[in-house]
Amino acid sequence: MAERYKFELFPDRTLTLLLFTELNDTASLASSLQAKALPCALLTPELVLEPLQILIAANMALDSKKRNSLLTKDIHSELGFYLAASKNINRSLKRFGLEPNMKSLLVAMFDASDDQIKEIRAVISGKEIPLSRISELSDVKKIKEWYNISDKALIASSLLEVIISSISTCRCKMVKEKI
C-alpha cells in the first residue's frame, strides 16, 4: 500500500509514503527506527488533507538539499519543517512529528529501497492502510487552526489550495529574508 512518487524537477529522487492506523507503541517507535538507521519522516496525518501537501513540501526540501541550504539536520526533518509552513523549526517539527499516544502515522521516506520499506513495516506495530484514506484521518479544524485559515479565505479557494499557498509562501518569505 506504499505509494512512491517521482519528482519532475528531481528525476533521480523519489518519495515513498506509508499510512498506518491502530498504532500500539509510538513511544519507542522513533528510537527503534534510529537504531535500524532508517531515515524517514514520521508525520501526524491529522494535519494532512491530501498527499499533494506532502509532495509540495518534499519538492521544497529537495530544492534546499540541492542548494546545500538545509535549515534542519537532514532532508526528512526539512520535509516536516516545510510542511508546517512556519519559520520556527522546533515548533514545526514538534507539531508535525511523532507524538506519544498517536493512533495514526504517516511515514515519508526519500529514495527508499524495497528492503527499507519492509523494515519500516516490521518496526511499526499498526495497521497499514491505503494513502487514499488519509482524508479520513484529517482534522479540518486543527488544519485550519495550524495554517491560520479563516472561513473567509475559503470563499474563493479550497482548503487544499490555501494550505499549499501557505506552504509555498512561507518558503518564499524565508528565501527573501536570507538574501
Side-chain angles (χ1 to χ4, degrees), residues 13-16 18 29-30 32-42 65 73-77 79 107-113 115-117 119-120 123:
R13 305 299 303 261
T14 62
L15 182 73
T16 301
L18 299 99
L29 186 56
S32 296
L33 290 172
Q34 287 173 348
K36 290 191 173 280
L38 289 171
C40 62
L42 304 175
K65 175 80 171 166
K73 66 179 181 163
D74 62 37
I75 194 166
H76 291 96
S77 55
L79 169 63
V107 179
M109 298 178 73
F110 285 99
D111 309 319
S113 68
D115 287 340
Q116 287 175 317
I117 294 168
E119 286 186 65
I120 285 285
V123 169

Side-chain angles (χ1 to χ4, degrees), residues 5 19 42 70 81 111 175:
Y5 297 88
L19 184 60
L42 304 175
L70 292 177
F81 173 58
D111 309 319
V175 170

